[in-house]
Amino acid sequence: MAAQNKEVDALVQKITGLHAAIAKLPSLSPSPDVDALFTELVTSCVPPSPVDVTKLGPEAQEMREGLIRLCSEAEGKLEAHYSDILAAFDNPLDHLGMFPYYNNYINLSKLEYELLARYVPGGIAPARVAFIGSGPLPFSSFVLAARHLPNTMFDNYDLCGAANDRASKLFRADKDVGARMSFHTADVADLAGELAKYDVVFLAALVGMAAEDKAKVIAHLGAHMADGAALVVRSAHGARGFLYPIVDPQDIAGGGFKVLAVCHPDDDVVNSVIIAQKSKDLHANGLHRGHGGQCAHGTVPVVNPPCRFGEMVTDMTQKREEFANAEVVF
């Protein structure tokens, strides 16, 4: 226990120093200094760690919340930068590999699809999917549409009109995926009846960064999604919670969903994935939170990934070196 506490203290101290350095940057637009600091941050957070960021003290919690907001801003600027570069090509979709973390979106989307196929009763063959928080580089929707759901229509929602303008330009030359991809500038809180037409809704990691905001978004989805529709929520686990918000599965259950699976990847896919299903029974009985590590209908089902993305090693030293050299999404 003492060794674990020492490891946690050292990590928090390191992350605090990186947060201070990032906060002092004159701009979070892509540059050598920005890239170097965020690369160091991600490689510090991705390896397995005993830290539980939800149990840190008030000062560390405040630092973490500020850091997540900086990560969000930097991620938005990085995606906008590459979206503009890609848009200059005659067919932008032929050049997506230019984005340094494109393969990670391929792996994350593959994981999400396979979890849906495995845990949603009856499997999935969605006619229409919504992605909430799609951004200027809607890689997740593209990968799902091109590789896993070839007959599905995708509605992408984002608060930022400029992000949607950028995103739509990437599909202008594609007659297949482009014809199945639409973009809407809207706050999820303003969506109501239209949510009932989706078989699956994806909630991006940075939609609702504070825990209470995330819970409100999920409750809103639960109030308006169709019974039986699936919800995919991106979360984080361990030290990765310094990069992205952590979603409590009980908040999902309390929003009117049955939690089907919780997956915490231990490879270069940074986000955890929670698969849930809109539950008519939960609304009929009244929304409520589980207790003692329980979701509304039983124990939180933490599962292993359906597949491995690359050969994983068991030796911790080798594993840390692998993570340090991996390309990871931040």
Side-chain angles (χ1 to χ4, degrees):
M1 183 61 71
Q4 281 193 354
N5 291 339
K6 187 175 181 180
E7 182 180 351
V8 168
D9 290 344
L11 177 63
V12 172
Q13 185 176 356
K14 181 175 184 179
I15 300 302
T16 300
L18 287 169
H19 168 254
I22 291 169
K24 292 178 182 177
L25 289 168
S27 169
L28 293 178
S29 297
S31 70
D33 288 343
V34 171
D35 295 346
L37 281 172
F38 276 101
T39 296
E40 185 176 0
L41 174 65
V42 174
T43 55
S44 299
C45 293
V46 167
S49 167
V51 67
D52 182 348
V53 298
T54 65
K55 296 181 179 179
L56 296 176
E59 186 175 345
Q61 291 291 359
E62 183 178 357
M63 178 275 293
R64 172 180 168 254
E65 291 172 5
L67 182 57
I68 289 174
R69 295 186 184 280
L70 290 171
C71 288
S72 175
E73 182 180 349
E75 186 171 305
K77 290 181 180 297
L78 180 71
E79 291 189 0
H81 174 74
Y82 275 93
S83 188
D84 290 342
I85 292 174
L86 290 167
F89 291 99
D90 291 337
N91 190 344
L93 298 185
D94 290 341
H95 304 275
L96 299 183
M98 292 182 63
F99 188 69
Y101 312 112
Y102 178 56
N103 283 338
N104 297 92
Y105 284 96
I106 292 176
N107 290 340
L108 175 57
S109 296
K110 183 174 187 287
L111 172 63
E112 290 171 329
Y113 171 75
E114 292 185 344
L115 289 170
L116 281 167
R118 175 188 279 192
Y119 292 103
V120 173
I124 58 163
R128 201 166 200 98
V129 165
F131 195 99
I132 311 296
S134 48
L137 278 181
F139 283 147
S140 296
S141 290
F142 170 74
V143 172
L144 287 164
R147 296 183 177 225
H148 305 295
L149 299 171
N151 300 311
T152 302
M153 303 295 291
F154 284 78
D155 287 332
N156 298 278
Y157 293 92
D158 201 279
L159 275 172
C160 179
N164 284 324
D165 290 342
R166 284 186 164 100
S168 62
K169 291 177 182 177
L170 303 180
F171 296 89
R172 66 181 186 275
D174 189 278
K175 296 181 179 179
D176 173 24
V177 176
R180 295 187 284 121
M181 202 73 57
S182 61
F183 297 90
H184 313 274
T185 301
D187 188 326
V188 63
D190 297 327
L191 304 178
E194 56 265 63
L195 290 171
K197 67 185 178 182
Y198 298 114
D199 303 298
V200 183
V201 173
F202 287 79
L203 184 62
L206 294 172
V207 175
M209 284 184 278
E212 58 271 21
D213 294 333
K214 185 82 72 173
K216 287 180 182 178
V217 170
I218 291 169
H220 181 78
L221 294 174
H224 296 286
M225 285 172 59
D227 290 333
L231 176 66
V232 181
V233 178
R234 293 179 178 176
S235 180
H237 183 67
R240 301 172 187 213
F242 286 112
L243 306 173
Y244 290 105
I246 291 176
V247 183
D248 187 342
Q250 294 185 28
D251 285 336
I252 299 177
F257 296 90
K258 180 179 180 181
V259 178
L260 304 175
V262 179
C263 182
H264 301 306
D266 58 1
D267 57 8
D268 59 337
V269 175
V270 174
N271 288 116
S272 297
V273 178
I274 304 173
I275 305 294
Q277 187 174 37
K278 171 69 177 298
S279 174
K280 181 179 180 179
D281 292 340
L282 291 184
H283 275 282
N285 296 331
L287 301 185
H288 57 283
R289 293 172 62 95
H291 298 282
Q294 303 288 308
C295 281
H297 276 207
T299 303
V300 176
V302 179
V303 303
N304 292 322
C307 60
R308 292 292 187 183
F309 306 129
E311 183 177 347
M312 301 303 294
V313 294
T314 57
D315 179 76
M316 185 58 69
T317 301
Q318 183 178 347
K319 196 166 190 177
R320 287 182 182 275
E321 291 175 355
E322 180 183 77
F323 280 124
N325 294 322
E327 291 184 345
V328 288
V329 178
F330 60 83

